[in-house]
Amino acid sequence: MNSRLQALADAGVSIWLDDLSRERLASGNLAQLVADSGVVGVTTNPTIFAGALANGERYAEQIKSLKASGTSVDDVVFELTTTDVQQGRAILRPVYDATNGAHGRVSTGGGPGERGVGAGGGGGGGAGRAAVHAGRCPDCDGDDDRDWSGRRTD
């Protein structure tokens, strides 16, 4: 970690990256930033996601598959974002474990009326922004039949 980032971390500043993208995930860049630069969280929102989608070919296969199955545009966006959040969460899991959940999170933000990708799958307005643990979602109450978003998996 460079000396400036180390000084910030030593002062108690949590280093977050405001740029979750499939390219960053697939290239190993997020993992490298976590390991080498002290990044302890990552965030995305509709604007960040739109930029990632416009500038990355790594979404094409999943989009093609979802489109072929007749998935609606809203659900395609939700599934793409969910995949990115799950992959980011896996990369940040060691940080989450090492800090007993204080760090190692993926945060999503949604606009009014949008379905959120946060814990519990909340959506719209203020409820669209939620911190997603690197582990189980906090609202799942240990229910093994729910995924990170609170949706039933059985």
Side-chain angles (χ1 to χ4, degrees), residues 31-115:
Q32 181 181 4
L33 290 170
V34 170
D36 299 340
S37 298
V39 170
V40 298
V42 64
T43 187
T44 189
N45 60 44
T47 301
I48 292 169
F49 181 70
L53 191 57
N55 296 319
E57 293 296 319
R58 297 198 188 250
Y59 294 97
E61 186 176 321
Q62 189 179 10
I63 291 170
K64 183 178 178 180
S65 173
L66 290 166
K67 183 178 176 186
S69 68
T71 305
S72 72
V73 172
D74 286 344
D75 286 341
V76 167
V77 171
F78 182 77
E79 293 301 324
L80 294 173
T81 306
T82 298
T83 299
D84 285 359
V85 168
Q86 290 171 332
Q87 290 176 6
R89 189 182 66 164
I91 290 167
L92 287 161
R93 181 63 195 231
V95 175
Y96 179 85
D97 290 341
T99 63
N100 294 317
H103 300 293
R105 298 170 187 260
V106 175
S107 176
T108 65
E114 293 182 10
R115 183 165 57 168

Side-chain angles (χ1 to χ4, degrees), residues 17 19-31 33 42 58 91:
L17 180 66
D19 182 23
L20 181 63
S21 69
R22 188 76 50 96
E23 180 62 33
R24 189 174 295 284
L25 292 162
S27 70
N29 179 257
L30 178 59
L33 290 170
V42 64
R58 297 198 188 250
I91 290 167

Side-chain angles (χ1 to χ4, degrees), residues 99-153:
T99 63
N100 294 317
H103 300 293
R105 298 170 187 260
V106 175
S107 176
T108 65
E114 293 182 10
R115 183 165 57 168
V117 193
R129 183 156 184 83
V132 180
H133 291 277
R136 310 279 308 160
C137 83
D139 297 332
C140 294
D141 298 322
D143 182 353
D144 290 336
D145 295 330
R146 294 187 183 271
D147 68 7
W148 69 272
S149 69
R151 290 187 294 183
R152 295 201 71 74
T153 59

